[in-house]
């Protein structure tokens, strides 16, 4: 039986089969080993540097550290813009299981709204999952308490302390100082992603926008070690951020407050310039608004209220409102007349209360319907603001000469102030009129611009600069808000001076402006009482709506917003000018009784503060 089984078994065949299987197994092992060796070689030799870098990055990250924004102070180092502690709600997305549910829950708590969520999602790509991503700024005590009670339900959501911009003087400086607000998508596309990677707010208007680069500073970095989930284990190295530069303004807070209070209840603007440096001493646009609303993230209700207000509190009247300057430009027209030799100080006109162009039936009325009488000379015309004298002077000069001198004194072009969004006004000409599709230039157009009406428009800042040029006898200083950056003074900025054919004409015009304040029949005589110095000034009244030929202006028959604007420009002291002021009061009607007293308040305070007296 056993012998039969052995005869059936083929030992040689079985051995050959085993050998083949062992060889195949060996080949498979060799192939696998070859692949392993190749892979090791690829990782350790061919791509060694690449994978070494990736390995290092998996455990060491750079965290950006936001710089502290620079402070803004007035000329006496009083804070105008500061950084205050504030509490914000942040999200660590790598620790949140369901982000949508978390956001919905926080919204139900009343801590965030749809706008917060929208902004959160827009900024998401700027933050890594393990970084604290801001969700809501400026939490108040009740919101903090409300969240704290529910804290255990919101894993990955924290309340953190931060520094936030604050304006201690609310509406007093809103338009020119400006404010910061949350960075939006459009701004993100233009910013340096690295330097603003940890920053949530940016300057939106005013000085805050113009000097954004200096105020922002430079971002810092922390080299942190993280685990596989991206959570920070320890900080390896820190490169501290560079704080933003501190700005000192020319502006005087006391003078600013006085100007603001003078305009209270009116729509208008006041600008005061240092005639020696071009520094902006006070600059007010009313009505105003609390700029802190925009820092915190203004609500739809608050923004709609400001936007829809008929008084336009968001409108910067100093830089963007363009008004007919009225008689405030008569000193420039008079200067042109003297310099061109069209009139002399002794030249006179007869004023019956109207002026008529040759071969024209239209009567161009003087503001004084019965006229100023016979023999009105240069001084009388400025003192009493005689329109007929300037109608006649404008006709003799011609539109081209008037346009030339308006340009010399800065009308129709930006002043160059270091604040964005300045408008240029309009210095009209025949070419300009035709380019606007308004037809040809007529003689009546020339008469109108001769008294600061018609197509001529100027901003309050331009009128202040014009007045400063006269005070400085042709020196043209560019208005400046910022006096120093980190204690380093900025030099005055100048443009080419105004050169006259006869330099004595400066004194002639200044004497006439003194007469407009201190003369016996001066339009601004009311502000000259009890002064121990002299003011050179000029009142102005600008029509808002036209009055038909032959009809008399009657304020009682007009809606308040259709009444004349009141203007006044001035500088003082006359012999050693220290301050130039321009005041525009919308629908104030009378420059002499409304605008001029405001200017005196500002001038008086500044001269008291600086102890400037006239010799």
């Amino acid at each position: 039986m056993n012998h039969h089984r052995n005869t059936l078994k083929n030992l040689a065949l079985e051995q050959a089969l085993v050998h083949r299987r062992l060889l195949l197994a060996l080949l498979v092992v060799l192939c696998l080993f070859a692949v392993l060796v190749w892979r090791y070689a690829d990782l350790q030799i061919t791509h060694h540097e690449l994978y070494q870098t990736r390995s290092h990055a998996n455990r060491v990250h750079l965290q950006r550290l936001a710089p502290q924004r620079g402070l803004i102070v007035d000329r006496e180092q009083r804070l105008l813009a500061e950084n205050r502690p504030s509490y914000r709600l942040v999200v660590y997305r790598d620790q949140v299981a369901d982000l949508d549910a978390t956001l919905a829950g926080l919204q139900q708590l009343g801590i965030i709204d749809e706008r917060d969520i929208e902004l959160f999602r827009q900024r998401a790509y700027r933050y890594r999952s393990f970084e604290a991503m801001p969700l809501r700024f400026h939490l108040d005590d009740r919101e903090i308490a409300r969240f704290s009670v529910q804290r255990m339900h919101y894993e990955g959501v924290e309340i953190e302390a931060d520094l936030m911009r604050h304006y201690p003087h609310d509406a007093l400086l809103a338009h020119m100082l400006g404010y910061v607000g949350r960075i939006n998508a459009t701004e993100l596309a233009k910013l340096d992603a690295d330097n603003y990677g940890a920053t949530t707010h940016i300057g939106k208007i005013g000085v805050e926008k113009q000097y954004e680069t200096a105020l922002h500073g430079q971002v810092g970095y922390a080299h942190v070690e993280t685990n596989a989930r991206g959570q920070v284990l320890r900080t390896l190295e820190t490169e501290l951020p560079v704080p933003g530069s501190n700005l000192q303004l020319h502006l005087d807070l006391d003078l600013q407050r006085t100007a603001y209070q003078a305009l209270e209840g009116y729509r208008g603007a006041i600008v005061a310039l240092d005639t020696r440096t071009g520094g902006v001493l006070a600059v007010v646009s009313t009505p105003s608004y609390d700029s802190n609303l925009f820092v915190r993230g203004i609500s739809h209700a608050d923004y709609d209220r400001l936007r829809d207000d008929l008084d336009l509190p968001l409108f910067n009247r100093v830089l963007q409102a363009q008004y007919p300057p009225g008689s405030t430009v008569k000193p420039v027209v008079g200067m042109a007349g003297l310099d061109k030799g069209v009139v002399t100080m002794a030249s006179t006109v007869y004023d019956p209360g109207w002026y008529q162009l040759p071969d024209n039936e239209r009567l161009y009325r003087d503001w004084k319907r019965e006229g100023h009488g016979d023999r009105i000379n240069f001084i009388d015309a400025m003192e009493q603001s005689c329109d007929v004298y300037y109608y006649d002077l404008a006709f003799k000069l011609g539109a081209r000469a008037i346009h030339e001198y308006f340009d010399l004194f800065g009308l129709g072009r930006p002043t160059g102030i270091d604040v964005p969004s300045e408008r240029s006004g309009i210095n009209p000409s025949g070419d300009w009129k035709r380019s606007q599709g308004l037809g040809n230039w007529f003689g009546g157009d020339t008469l109108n611009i001769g008294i600061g009406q018609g197509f001529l428009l100027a901003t309050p800042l331009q009128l202040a600069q014009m007045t400063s040029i006269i005070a400085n006898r042709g020196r043209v200083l560019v208005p400046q808000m910022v006096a120093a950056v980190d204690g380093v003074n900025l030099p005055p900025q100048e443009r080419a001076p105004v050169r006259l054919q006869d330099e004595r004409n400066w004194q002639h015009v200044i004497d006439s402006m003194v007469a407009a304040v201190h003369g016996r029949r001066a339009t601004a005589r009311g502000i000259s009482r009890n002064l121990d110095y002299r003011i050179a000034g000029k009142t102005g009244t600008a029509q808002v709506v036209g009055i038909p030929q032959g009809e008399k202006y009657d304020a009682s028959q007009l809606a308040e917003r259709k009444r004349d604007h009141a203007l006044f420009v001035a500088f003082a002291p006359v012999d050693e000018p220290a301050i130039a002021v321009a005041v525009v009061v919308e629908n104030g009607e009378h420059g002499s009784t409304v605008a001029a007293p405001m200017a005196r308040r500002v001038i008086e305070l500044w001269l008291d503060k600086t102890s400037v007296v006239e010799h």
Side-chain angles (χ1 to χ4, degrees):
M1 196 74 178
N2 290 335
H3 175 73
H4 179 70
R5 283 198 300 268
N6 289 337
T7 59
L8 295 175
K9 188 174 182 181
N10 190 333
L11 295 177
L13 183 62
E14 289 182 0
Q15 283 182 339
L17 181 62
V18 170
H19 288 161
R20 285 196 298 270
R21 288 177 177 174
L22 287 174
L23 183 61
L24 180 61
L26 179 61
L27 288 174
V28 171
V29 170
L30 288 174
C31 288
L32 291 175
F33 184 73
V35 171
L36 184 61
V37 170
W38 173 82
R39 184 58 176 158
Y40 272 119
D42 183 62
L43 292 174
Q44 298 294 326
I45 300 173
T46 308
H47 296 100
H48 170 74
E49 292 185 3
L50 172 65
Y51 289 107
Q52 183 183 46
T53 302
R54 287 185 178 179
S55 174
H56 184 71
N58 281 338
R59 56 189 178 86
V60 178
H61 294 283
L62 277 180
Q63 280 191 345
R64 292 181 284 255
L65 306 176
Q68 181 174 316
R69 195 170 181 84
L71 305 177
I72 304 178
V73 298
D74 84 334
R75 64 188 304 114
E76 295 182 10
Q77 299 293 329
R78 291 171 290 194
L79 276 171
L80 306 179
E82 60 182 339
N83 303 307
R84 285 188 175 181
S86 176
Y87 293 95
R88 62 179 185 172
L89 198 67
V90 300
V91 176
Y92 293 88
R93 287 176 295 163
D94 65 324
Q95 300 176 29
V96 178
D98 188 338
L99 183 59
D100 290 337
T102 298
L103 295 177
L106 291 170
Q107 188 174 4
Q108 277 190 330
L109 282 178
I111 297 176
I112 62 173
D113 57 24
E114 287 291 343
R115 185 165 178 269
D116 295 318
I117 295 174
E118 180 184 351
L119 291 173
F120 177 82
R121 296 192 187 280
Q122 286 179 0
R123 294 192 301 264
Y125 73 92
R126 297 177 58 208
Y127 296 85
R128 291 183 283 265
S129 62
F130 59 84
E131 290 182 317
M133 183 174 172
L135 176 56
R136 166 76 195 284
F137 299 93
H138 287 290
L139 296 177
D140 59 34
D141 292 341
R142 281 191 286 186
E143 289 168 333
I144 293 172
R146 198 181 309 143
F147 174 76
S148 298
V149 172
Q150 302 293 328
R151 171 68 185 80
M152 73 288 296
H153 300 303
Y154 296 97
E155 187 68 27
V157 181
E158 302 286 349
I159 291 177
E160 293 183 352
D162 193 12
L163 289 176
M164 191 59 67
R165 203 61 157 177
H166 178 73
Y167 303 100
H169 303 289
D170 301 330
L172 190 61
L173 300 151
H175 292 98
M176 297 296 282
L177 184 62
Y179 57 80
V180 300
R182 296 185 194 177
I183 299 173
N184 59 40
T186 303
E187 291 163 337
L188 271 176
K190 300 177 183 178
L191 291 173
D192 180 343
D194 287 333
N195 199 32
Y196 280 82
T199 302
T200 57
H201 287 62
I202 191 174
K204 296 288 187 176
I205 65 169
V207 171
E208 290 276 25
K209 180 177 181 179
Q210 183 77 16
Y211 288 87
E212 170 61 31
T213 301
L215 287 165
H216 177 260
Q218 291 293 320
V219 69
Y221 297 94
H223 297 255
V224 296
E225 186 176 357
T226 62
N227 60 19
R229 296 184 60 194
Q231 294 173 321
V232 176
L233 302 176
R234 59 175 175 152
T235 300
L236 303 176
E237 183 183 355
T238 301
E239 181 182 335
L240 294 176
V242 179
S245 299
N246 296 328
L247 305 184
Q248 182 180 6
L249 305 188
H250 287 281
L251 188 138
D252 182 88
L253 188 58
D254 297 325
L255 204 66
Q256 180 77 6
R257 186 174 287 109
T258 295
Y260 187 83
Q261 291 170 348
L263 266 175
E264 191 171 4
Y266 292 98
R267 298 178 299 277
I270 294 179
V271 182
L273 301 178
D274 187 331
T275 54
R276 296 160 295 191
T277 65
V280 178
L281 302 174
V283 57
V284 172
S285 174
T286 58
S288 188
Y289 58 92
D290 183 359
S291 46
N292 289 302
L293 291 172
F294 289 88
V295 181
R296 294 191 290 266
I298 191 168
S299 68
H300 289 295
D302 285 337
Y303 182 75
D304 290 346
R305 176 178 54 80
L306 291 172
R307 182 197 60 197
D308 298 335
D309 192 328
L310 288 177
D311 290 337
L312 304 177
L314 295 175
F315 186 46
N316 186 346
R317 288 167 164 83
V318 171
L319 297 181
Q320 297 175 319
Q322 300 179 123
Y323 301 97
S327 296
T328 60
V329 297
K330 285 179 179 176
V332 176
V333 178
M335 188 79 74
L338 293 173
D339 205 44
K340 291 288 188 181
V342 173
V343 295
T344 67
M345 295 298 290
S347 299
T348 62
V349 299
Y350 170 61
D351 176 15
W354 48 267
Y355 183 83
Q356 195 170 16
L357 286 168
D359 302 320
N360 192 316
E361 295 182 356
R362 179 184 174 89
L363 299 180
Y364 293 86
R365 297 287 182 182
D366 194 290
W367 70 267
K368 189 176 183 181
R369 289 188 67 83
E370 65 274 19
H372 294 86
D374 200 1
R375 297 181 180 176
I376 299 297
N377 62 26
F378 191 92
I379 294 289
D380 296 332
M382 194 76 73
E383 178 181 339
Q384 301 173 53
S385 198
C386 175
D387 289 335
V388 168
Y389 186 96
Y390 283 92
Y391 287 143
D392 185 64
L393 176 53
F395 175 69
K396 292 174 179 176
L397 272 170
R400 190 178 298 277
I402 296 173
H403 177 86
E404 174 191 344
Y405 278 80
F406 281 166
D407 181 69
L408 288 173
F409 285 82
L411 301 180
R413 54 190 171 97
T415 66
I417 189 172
D418 51 343
V419 175
S421 304
E422 181 185 11
R423 298 181 73 181
S424 62
I426 297 175
N427 179 10
S429 64
D431 291 339
W432 172 87
K433 187 180 179 185
R434 284 187 291 273
S435 72
Q436 301 299 307
L438 299 173
N440 293 324
W441 188 270
F442 298 107
D445 295 326
T446 303
L447 301 192
N448 281 331
I449 64 172
I451 62 166
Q453 292 284 171
F455 299 115
L456 181 65
L457 296 176
T459 67
L461 182 62
Q462 287 175 324
L463 295 180
Q465 186 189 45
M466 175 195 77
T467 308
S468 175
I469 294 171
I470 297 172
N472 285 323
R473 298 171 184 257
R475 186 185 181 201
V476 182
L477 290 165
V478 176
Q480 287 182 282
M481 288 291 292
V482 175
V485 179
D486 278 338
V488 179
N489 291 332
L490 302 181
Q493 301 294 310
E494 297 192 42
R495 289 178 173 167
V498 177
R499 303 291 189 191
L500 300 182
Q501 296 182 39
D502 186 345
E503 293 296 314
R504 291 176 298 179
N505 289 331
W506 290 113
Q507 191 60 51
H508 293 328
V509 170
I510 290 172
D511 287 343
S512 71
M513 294 176 69
V514 172
V517 176
H518 299 271
R520 185 170 59 87
R521 289 177 291 181
T523 54
R525 182 173 176 78
I527 68 167
S528 67
R529 297 186 181 90
N530 303 318
L531 285 181
D532 56 3
Y533 56 90
R534 292 184 302 161
I535 296 175
K538 185 67 194 77
T539 57
T541 302
Q543 286 185 350
V544 176
V545 294
I547 304 299
Q549 176 79 15
E551 290 191 14
K552 184 179 179 181
Y553 174 82
D554 185 356
S556 64
Q557 299 301 311
L558 293 172
E560 188 265 341
R561 294 177 187 272
K562 293 184 178 181
R563 296 174 186 171
D564 293 346
H565 296 326
L567 302 95
F568 187 68
V569 297
F571 66 87
V574 171
D575 293 336
E576 293 186 15
I579 184 172
V581 179
V583 180
V584 179
V585 182
E586 291 182 12
N587 314 115
E589 295 194 87
H590 305 295
S592 57
T593 57
V594 177
M598 295 180 184
R600 172 173 168 166
R601 287 177 63 179
V602 173
I603 292 171
E604 204 160 59
L605 177 61
W606 182 242
L607 299 187
D608 285 345
K609 283 176 70 74
T610 55
S611 300
V612 175
V613 294
E614 190 172 41
H615 297 293

